[in-house]
Structure formats: C-alpha cells, structure tokens
Amino acid sequence: MAQPPNTKSMGSVARQGLRRLPLNATILAPLVALILLFVVSSIASEYFLNTRNISNVMRQVSYTGIIAIGMTFVIIAGGIDLSVGSMVALVGVVILYIVNSISDPIQAVLLGLLAAIAAGGLLGLFNGLLVTRGRIAAFVVTLASMSIFRSLALYFTDAAVVSTPNPHFSSVGGGFLLGIPVPVIVFFGLAIIAHVLLFHTPYGRHVCAVGANPQVARYSGIRVERIVLSTFVIAGICVGLSAIMLTSRLNSVSPSDAGYFYELDAIAAVVIGGTALSGGRGSIWGTVIGALILGIINNMLNLTGVSPYLQGLVKGGVILLAVLLQYKRA
Amino acid sequence: MSEPILTLEGIGKAFGPVQVLNDISLSVMPGEVLGILGENGAGKSTLLKIISGIYTPTVGTIHLNGQIFSALDPITARFHGVAMIPQEFNLIPTLRVYENVFLGQEVRRHGFLDHAGMRKRTQELLSSLEVDLDPELPIERLSVAQKQMVEVARVLVNDARLLILDEPTTVLTDREVAVLFRVVRALVAKGVTILFISHKLKEVKDLCDRLLILRDGQQVELCETATLNEEDMARKMVGRELSQIYPEKLAQSTDNTPPALRVRGLSLKGKLKDINLEVRRGEVLGFAGLVGAGRTEIAETIMGLHRKEQGEIFIDGELVDLRSPNEAHAHGLAYLSEDRQGKGLILSFNVMQNITALSLKRYVRGFIKHRAERRQAEHYQQRLTIKASNLAAPVSLLSGGNQQKVYFSKLLDIEPDILILDEPTRGIDISAKQQIYRLIRDLTEQNKAVIVISSELEEVIGIADRVLVIREGQIAVELNGDDINEEQIMLYAAGARQHANREQVGN
C-alpha cells in the first residue's frame, strides 16, 4: 500500500550493498582517517613501511588495543573503567609470582596464563559488584580501584621490578606465529570474537539495550545489573590477556610503570572508533581502528623526531577532533 | 461592587485548521474562585495558556486590570499579577525553600544576596498562609504538598492577583487537600482571584463560587456552583455521541469462560489495596480512573515490576509467582507501557531490533539470524502498516503512531495470551488509533485476553466489554453493558459516588 516506488537506480543498489557490510557511517569516518594517516605516514617517513617498524607498531598497539576491546563493552553498557592500567600492573605481578613459584617451567607458564585471566576476571568482578550492588557510579568505583590496584602491586613487590628465569615464558608475548607477533594475533582474534559477541548474539544486543535505556531494558525482561556486571568482567579478562602479552614480552613487570596511562589510551581508542561515551551503541572494529590510529600517530611522532613532550598534545588533539566529528554527525 | 480583574470577550483559538477554543466570554471578580471543568482535550489548558500569555488567541479581547489586550505575553501577564502553579513543579531540589521562593527574583543588598531578608520574607509569606515550614529546608526533603506551598509562596512574592491552579489536588492526600483549601481561602480573603482546574467534582463544588464548563472547546455552562449538583456537572462535561472509530463489541458475554488471568487481594505498599479482578479470553477489560489512581501500578505489579505486598495471581487457573517481566512473558503475559519512549522502545535501536527485543531467543541458532529478524519485521510492517522507509533506521525517526505500532509488534512477537495495554493510543493520530482499536479486537477474536488502561473516557467506553473504575488504589466499581458511559465512570472516578464495598453495576 504505502510501499515506496520501486526505482532501483544504481545508487540505491550500491547503497543497499553498503548497508549489508558491517561498515556504516560511524565506522567509515575513523576508517578513512586511518587510511589517510597511513598514506601520509608512508610519505613522511621512509622507515614507516619497514616490516620491522610495522610489526613493532602493531605489537605496541596490541597491548592497549586488547584492553580497549574490553573497554568497548563497558562503555556501550553505559559505564567506564579507569582501573585497567593499574590492573595490568597488579595482574602482571600475580603472573610472575605464579610463574616463579612453580618448578616445572611448562606448567608454570600455563598456570601463569590461567591465573592472569582469573585474576583479571576477579578484579573486574570487584569493580562490577561495586557498581551494580553497591550502586556507586562506575567512574568513582574505578577511580578508587585504580588507586587500590596500583598500590597493591607496589606493596607486594616493594616497588621493585619482578622478573623470571623461566625459559619459556618470554616466548608467549615475544613469539611469532606465521611471522606475526603473538600479541597481534591475540588482538585480532579477540576482536573477531568480540565483534561476533556484540553483533551476533543476544548478549551483545542486551549490552546495547542496557546502555541505551536501562529502563526499557528492565521492562523488556533484561537483567540489567547482570549485564553491567558482565561487561566489567569482560574488561578484566581483557586486561588479563594484555598483562600476559606485556609481561612475557618484557620477561618482567615493573609495578610502577606497567600499564601506566593505559586507561586513557584505551578510552581514547574507543572514542575515536565512534563508540558513544553515553553508551548504547558502538563497534569493535571502530575500536580496533581507533587503537591503530593512536599507535601510528605515536610512531610517526617518534620517526619524524617530534619532541616527546609534544606527543601528548597531538594525541589529545586527535581525541578532541574525533569527538567533535561525532557530535557533528549526531 | 468592584471592577472585574479579568474579562474575556469572544476568545477563540485555532491551531491551523483545528479550532480548539470557540467564543469564550467571562469575567471574574477579585476574591472570586472560578472552577473550570472539562474532559481531556476540552480546551482547559489552552484557555489557561491564553490567560497566562503563553498562547495568542486567534480572535477576541482580554481585559486585564482595566487594560485591553488582543494578546498577552508571559511578562505582561505576570506584571499584571497573573500567576500559574503548574502540575509539574519548577523547583530546584538541592536549593533551600527561601532560595527557591526567590529564585530568579533574588533580593540584593550592596550587590550581594540578602539571605537574611529573603529568609524573613519567606517566613512571613509562609505564616500568612498558615503553613508551618522551615525556610532553611532543602526542597528535596519536602513532601509534594509542601512543595506546592513553596510554589504558592513564590507567586505571592510577585503580589499575584490572579492565581491559576492546574489540577493541584491530583498529587495530594485528603489531609493535604484540606490544607491547600485553607490556603486558597486565605488568599481569597486577601482579594486574590483563583482559577481552579480539577477533575474532582466534589472539590470543585466545595471550593468554587462559579463554574465554567468546557466541552470540545465550547463554553457549555457558566453559572453559580450552587445551581448544579455533581451529576449535572458530569453530564454537561460529556454529552457527546461516540463516533464510529471503534469496532463492534462482543455479541455475547464471555461470563462462562474461565478467566485467563485472575488477581486476588493484590496490594502494593502505599499504592494499591486489595485488588481483585479477572479477565477472560476473548474480552477487553477496561481500566478507567484519574491519573495517579493506581491503574499503571496494577499492571506493573502483575508483570513483576514491583514487589507486591500481598495477593495471588492465577493464569489459566494456575497460581503463579511472577517476580520479573521475564517470568511474566514466559507465562504469556505482555505489557505495553504508557511511557513509550521511556519504558517501551529503545529509540536508538532500529525497527527490527526493537521488534525482537522480547523474542530474541527465537532468532538465535548459535548466532542471531539477522535475516530472520528482517523477515519478521517486514511481516509486521505489512500487517500493521508501519510507515518506515528503512527498517535499519533508528525508531526515533518514526512518527508517534508508527513507533506505537513497532511497540505493539514487539509485544505480539512473543505471541502473548494476555495483553495489558496502558494508554495504547497516547499521542497518536486518529487513523492510527482506529487501526489499533481494530487490532485489539482482532486479538480478542484470536481468543486472547486484553486489558486496556485509558484516561480517555471515550476510548474505554468504545473498546471495553467491561470496565473497572480505579480510584485511590482500589477498584471503585465494575461497570457492565449500558452502564459503561462517561457519566457513570466520571462519578465513580471522581469519587462523587462511593460504595462501602465494590459492587457490580449493569447486566
């Protein structure tokens, strides 16, 4: 009856086709920015396209990128997690203690990995319970736990760097698979899993619903608190994975430096990727692109010899620009 | 006698082609209380907005304070002493009483706030109203009634001479109403004129000197209150044929069918008391009553959204314990909230995602089958003629009527047996309304049980086979057959008629 006239021009067909792709306006802008940045970078510095350099950039990006993927879930559900950086340090300390306390080297590494994921999940659970059961704003809870986790890491180690003589440990995060650094493989593997979880399962749909309007979600029979809690656990597990990659790459952990300011890089990647800080919508690929953009900018500034003191300014400018563009679109 | 403070001559107002007010003429004296009665949509609030300067009348003149205006603006109206106390208070919860009273009109001394002076003046105003309230208390610690008194004090600072009270008693308890009335009488004694809008006929009768009754934008009656009894008032407010937008009702009574949903002795703390009801398959049960009477609470308590104090719920004769909307959905119940945008739809989600919000499980085989979701959305789009150019666009872009159809689809997609529809046609146009009424009948023809909650009398009467009138958290009466009319509903809803025990009327 009220069907629109059936005029299938080339344009509309093309538009229809685009709609089928997971690309939409939200992710298109950061993608274009990434491609532009890539082109500009390869022109600006001859070293940029060097395999070794690209491989290093990707590896650097992976540590915060893995965390940013977990952060995406928290932010879509309407929360925020400021504690992830400190959590990296605390989980890193836990990993090395476990690895060093078990004599069989293979067993030690395996248990260390499991412990990292368990510890990350538990710390996330701690944050999540305070937010849902304690009814404290996520910002406040994780601001406090940021301080608590860092403090615990420093106390357990007496602020000293912990390292391990285990011969196998460093091959986890320092190793290569098919010529690709392991952290990069973990990063992209995790991104695929997270994307499927967010867009192809009821769980992901519920996360978006809770972030968009918790009241409607409650009236629709969604267990709002459980969803919010679970996003913090996911963020914690991601921190666990990142801590494994980072500590095993360095074969040590510094309780004062590990994960320092990672929360800001992770949140920045999420925001640049087009996920709304107010919650309700977002995309994993956006976050991946956001993390890559940040990594390439960092690398470029180093390669072109820009003062390290100015790097923060550039990073901040990019974040502001991304958010400004988001608001323009909305 | 003194001059009238306000005189209206032939006031009319049209929005585009729609005439909402027609030829209103009246004058009010200082110290007079004029009651204004009318159904929803009769033109009461339009008239008030013209008097307070928010709307410009299309025709007619306004005499205010001896001056003649063809239109007022809010500042001029306020300057001449017109003040309005809205239904929703405009108070800042974190500020103190006296700070709110003087908000936007702060008293200064040497450029700084004169706290002591404002506190003292507030105290004087409150005691002149015989209200015992500490000017230092923050607003958030006050009761609704006390907040209302702060609003009154606020307009008195401006030396209001014509005070408009828009349904001030809906949110008050009986004792608080008594206090308010005392305050109103004190104001009247000072020569303040009151325009009093209410649905509660008894209050109007108690308080007002004269009455203006509006119906469909027309002035039906302007007379001394004493010349009318409550039944006359209700009759004059109504008196209109129902147009044929409602489908045929049930030909035969469903009395012999066992109830699909039975509620026994349901109570909710401070809201509901001893609610008993049943609804059978194939019938539409209407809930009528004033806003705030507890109709929505009954629905939400059945759905497990509130923890009930007492009571039992039976579905198809089986006792069930519903503690969450999930459990209610699993038992074949579905609830359409009156708050479409706040509790019904996720505005940033698209049509498909909203429709499958309750039924998502059915679209999952390992992963969500997006294509099946789209097919189902297209099915509803056709069945309910949802006008959406793109099913993947957020529902916030749709019109109210189309959003409502999406919301209906969301419920229908879990194939419920019992539907509770709270204000199912709120804020949608007449053709969409008609479609929704048709849909409701289709549902009962498919042997589903439907409860319709509505504040529009016409709607309850047009659609319901039986009507429960809810008043102050209790069921006042059950109406059947020919007794389902506006007069009866109004009398029970406003409390003009009461029974010690609920009874059945009709049939």
Side-chain angles (χ1 to χ4, degrees):
Chain A
M1 208 168 59
Q3 289 290 322
N6 199 5
T7 52
K8 280 212 166 172
S9 67
M10 285 297 285
S12 77
V13 172
R15 239 177 288 130
Q16 285 248 319
L18 268 181
R19 219 179 281 138
R20 295 268 171 197
L21 287 174
L23 298 171
N24 55 30
T26 347
I27 190 172
L28 211 58
L31 185 63
V32 169
L34 176 66
I35 293 169
L36 274 178
L37 191 63
F38 196 83
V39 171
V40 170
S41 302
S42 39
I43 295 168
S45 165
E46 51 187 311
Y47 300 108
F48 178 71
L49 283 179
N50 191 315
T51 325
R52 215 190 153 91
N53 183 53
I54 293 286
S55 163
N56 261 332
V57 171
M58 296 298 283
R59 191 198 291 276
Q60 283 302 324
V61 164
S62 300
Y63 305 132
T64 47
I66 290 170
I67 296 174
I69 287 172
M71 185 73 82
T72 309
F73 282 89
V74 175
I75 289 179
I76 291 177
I80 189 103
D81 190 342
L82 302 176
S83 72
V84 289
S86 304
M87 210 191 283
V88 167
L90 183 54
V91 173
V93 169
V94 170
I95 297 172
L96 286 183
Y97 276 14
I98 300 263
V99 170
N100 284 345
S101 64
I102 292 164
S103 50
D104 180 63
I106 300 275
Q107 235 176 45
V109 170
L110 288 178
L111 279 175
L113 301 189
L114 283 178
I117 290 171
L122 281 175
L123 295 178
L125 188 71
F126 172 78
N127 282 335
L129 282 175
L130 283 170
V131 171
T132 54
R133 295 285 155 81
R135 293 180 193 285
I136 310 173
F139 186 92
V140 178
V141 167
T142 58
L143 189 68
S145 58
M146 170 167 80
S147 172
I148 293 170
F149 297 160
R150 177 75 62 189
S151 168
L152 285 175
L154 289 167
Y155 175 76
F156 288 144
T157 58
D158 247 342
V161 173
V162 188
S163 54
T164 175
N166 189 305
H168 302 294
F169 187 55
S170 66
S171 57
V172 178
F176 290 81
L177 213 72
L178 304 170
I180 304 169
V182 171
V184 178
I185 289 177
V186 171
F187 176 38
F188 281 94
L190 189 68
I192 291 170
I193 294 171
H195 174 78
V196 170
L197 189 61
L198 192 57
F199 289 97
H200 297 278
T201 69
Y203 172 76
R205 184 72 59 80
H206 291 171
V207 170
C208 292
V210 166
N213 190 333
Q215 179 93 302
V216 175
R218 187 168 92 88
Y219 274 69
S220 302
I222 296 171
R223 292 178 194 187
V224 175
E225 297 206 335
R226 204 176 281 188
I227 296 284
V228 171
L229 180 67
S230 70
T231 61
F232 280 98
V233 174
I234 288 177
I237 290 172
C238 289
V239 169
L241 284 171
S242 178
I244 293 169
M245 296 305 142
L246 196 67
T247 49
S248 61
R249 161 75 173 160
L250 303 171
N251 220 8
S252 68
V253 63
S254 153
S256 53
D257 291 343
Y260 200 60
F261 272 144
Y262 273 22
E263 61 281 348
L264 293 191
D265 278 4
I267 294 169
V270 175
V271 170
I272 294 172
T275 294
L277 260 187
S278 49
R281 64 192 162 80
S283 81
I284 297 295
W285 295 122
T287 298
V288 171
I289 292 170
L292 288 172
I293 288 177
L294 282 176
I296 294 178
I297 288 177
N298 259 339
N299 184 240
M300 270 313 296
L301 296 174
N302 284 330
L303 287 178
T304 50
V306 174
S307 157
Y309 302 129
L310 272 182
Q311 297 189 357
L313 183 137
V314 176
K315 200 190 283 182
V318 170
I319 296 170
L320 286 179
L321 195 70
V323 178
L324 270 176
L325 287 174
Q326 265 192 55
Y327 278 106
K328 283 276 156 55
R329 258 183 282 120
Chain B
M1 223 184 136
S2 60
E3 290 287 299
I5 176 167
L6 173 79
T7 303
L8 303 180
E9 274 177 17
I11 293 285
K13 173 74 183 170
F15 290 108
V18 187
Q19 192 76 29
V20 290
L21 265 190
N22 224 330
D23 197 23
I24 307 291
S25 299
L26 61 89
S27 28
V28 276
M29 293 293 172
E32 189 183 19
V33 184
L34 176 71
I36 302 179
L37 284 175
E39 279 191 281
N40 293 337
K44 287 172 304 188
S45 37
T46 310
L47 181 62
L48 298 182
K49 284 180 177 161
I50 287 173
I51 296 172
S52 53
I54 297 165
Y55 287 162
T56 307
T58 326
V59 291
T61 49
I62 303 165
H63 303 247
L64 182 59
N65 244 350
Q67 281 176 274
I68 303 176
F69 300 92
S70 62
L72 288 167
D73 58 81
I75 295 169
T76 316
R78 194 167 150 180
F79 176 78
H80 286 284
V82 178
M84 178 154 161
I85 297 188
Q87 282 174 279
E88 306 283 327
F89 302 141
N90 294 317
L91 299 172
I92 314 273
T94 48
L95 293 183
R96 296 168 194 284
V97 168
Y98 77 89
E99 289 169 324
N100 267 286
V101 167
F102 283 90
L103 191 67
Q105 50 196 8
E106 288 84 358
V107 180
R108 266 169 290 192
R109 254 177 76 184
H110 314 302
F112 296 105
L113 288 177
D114 179 11
H115 287 284
M118 290 193 282
R119 219 174 287 138
K120 185 157 161 280
R121 182 87 184 94
T122 304
Q123 187 68 66
E124 285 166 12
L125 285 169
L126 289 171
S127 35
S128 80
L129 298 172
E130 294 178 41
V131 177
D132 184 24
L133 190 59
D134 181 1
E136 288 281 349
L137 281 178
I139 293 294
E140 56 199 352
R141 294 200 9 219
L142 304 188
S143 71
V144 177
Q146 289 172 318
K147 286 181 193 163
Q148 200 170 43
M149 290 305 142
V150 176
E151 284 275 7
V152 173
R154 183 149 128 180
V155 302
L156 289 183
V157 172
N158 286 322
D159 206 17
R161 313 213 8 234
L162 177 74
L163 181 59
I164 303 170
L165 298 170
D166 190 1
E167 298 193 32
T169 60
T170 39
V171 287
L172 302 184
T173 65
D174 285 352
R175 260 192 55 227
E176 292 166 339
V177 169
V179 174
L180 176 72
F181 281 16
R182 212 181 59 221
V183 168
V184 167
R185 292 196 178 104
L187 291 172
V188 166
K190 290 194 214 166
V192 176
T193 306
I194 309 279
L195 300 186
F196 183 81
I197 291 84
S198 175
H199 278 306
K200 299 185 185 169
L201 305 180
K202 188 166 180 303
E203 290 174 6
V204 173
K205 186 136 183 74
D206 285 352
L207 190 68
C208 301
D209 305 315
R210 281 195 305 153
L211 266 185
L212 170 69
I213 301 180
L214 298 176
R215 185 205 309 154
D216 294 336
Q218 306 280 348
Q219 178 170 337
V220 211
E221 187 69 76
L222 178 63
C223 64
E224 301 287 321
T225 310
T227 61
L228 292 178
N229 63 30
E230 290 167 37
E231 305 219 2
D232 294 333
M233 293 180 198
R235 205 166 293 131
K236 284 189 187 282
M237 280 164 61
V238 183
R240 165 179 18 137
E241 297 296 317
L242 292 186
S243 51
Q244 260 313 313
I245 69 163
Y246 300 99
E248 290 284 309
K249 290 195 187 181
L250 280 181
Q252 65 208 34
S253 146
T254 51
D255 276 0
N256 298 325
T257 350
L261 170 71
R262 197 156 74 98
V263 174
R264 283 274 156 267
L266 188 72
S267 299
L268 182 67
K269 203 158 196 256
K271 302 273 187 174
L272 302 176
K273 224 174 100 187
D274 193 28
I275 300 292
N276 294 293
L277 63 91
E278 35 192 64
V279 53
R280 293 178 277 269
R281 287 174 186 278
E283 73 165 349
V284 177
L285 175 67
F287 279 9
L290 301 177
V291 172
R295 297 166 304 170
T296 297
E297 283 76 9
I298 296 177
E300 295 193 342
T301 310
I302 293 174
M303 290 302 292
L305 286 156
H306 302 298
R307 180 67 48 87
K308 63 175 187 269
E309 208 176 13
Q310 264 175 355
E312 291 170 328
I313 295 167
F314 300 87
I315 290 177
D316 288 326
E318 191 187 326
L319 179 67
V320 292
D321 183 22
L322 307 174
R323 272 180 287 174
S324 74
N326 249 344
E327 293 174 12
H329 295 149
H331 281 91
L333 274 163
Y335 171 58
L336 184 100
S337 163
E338 59 181 332
D339 186 357
R340 176 169 63 235
Q341 307 207 332
K343 295 172 178 170
L345 297 175
I346 294 183
L347 294 177
S348 58
F349 273 24
N350 65 35
V351 177
M352 297 177 278
Q353 290 166 333
N354 269 298
I355 289 178
T356 59
L358 299 180
S359 54
L360 196 54
K361 261 185 263 153
R362 292 202 288 129
Y363 300 89
V364 177
R365 190 164 300 149
F367 301 123
I368 297 175
K369 293 184 286 179
H370 289 122
R371 215 166 276 171
E373 271 189 298
R374 178 177 284 274
R375 264 201 306 279
Q376 191 71 348
E378 281 164 355
H379 162 74
Y380 284 112
Q381 186 177 24
Q382 213 158 44
R383 178 169 163 206
L384 304 186
T385 57
I386 300 169
K387 292 195 186 92
S389 56
N390 180 359
L391 291 177
V395 290
S396 57
L397 301 179
L398 303 186
S399 73
N402 285 307
Q403 284 184 5
Q404 191 72 348
K405 290 179 192 172
V406 173
Y407 193 5
F408 260 91
S409 311
K410 171 178 168 179
L411 299 195
L412 295 181
D413 209 41
I414 55 169
E415 294 171 6
D417 290 324
I418 304 157
L419 291 98
I420 307 176
L421 310 174
D422 199 350
E423 306 286 359
T425 65
R426 174 173 284 177
I428 67 178
D429 64 64
I430 189 77
S431 70
K433 273 189 184 184
Q434 206 164 353
Q435 278 183 297
I436 283 181
Y437 297 141
R438 187 62 255 164
L439 174 69
I440 292 174
R441 265 304 151 199
D442 286 348
L443 291 171
T444 57
E445 275 159 23
Q446 293 162 25
N447 219 19
K448 298 178 189 302
V450 179
I451 295 176
V452 171
I453 303 175
S454 177
S455 296
E456 283 182 56
L457 290 182
E458 203 186 301
E459 180 168 286
V460 179
I461 294 162
I463 194 80
D465 300 310
R466 285 188 299 136
V467 172
L468 300 180
V469 181
I470 320 287
R471 197 172 69 85
E472 291 169 8
Q474 284 173 289
I475 294 176
V477 72
E478 176 180 329
L479 300 173
N480 284 285
D482 290 341
D483 276 295
I484 304 179
N485 59 50
E486 305 201 18
E487 219 181 299
Q488 287 282 349
I489 294 176
M490 212 48 166
L491 285 171
Y492 285 101
R497 256 192 213 161
Q498 290 186 28
H499 295 280
N501 292 307
R502 167 184 161 197
E503 64 176 58
Q504 288 205 9
V505 177
N507 276 5

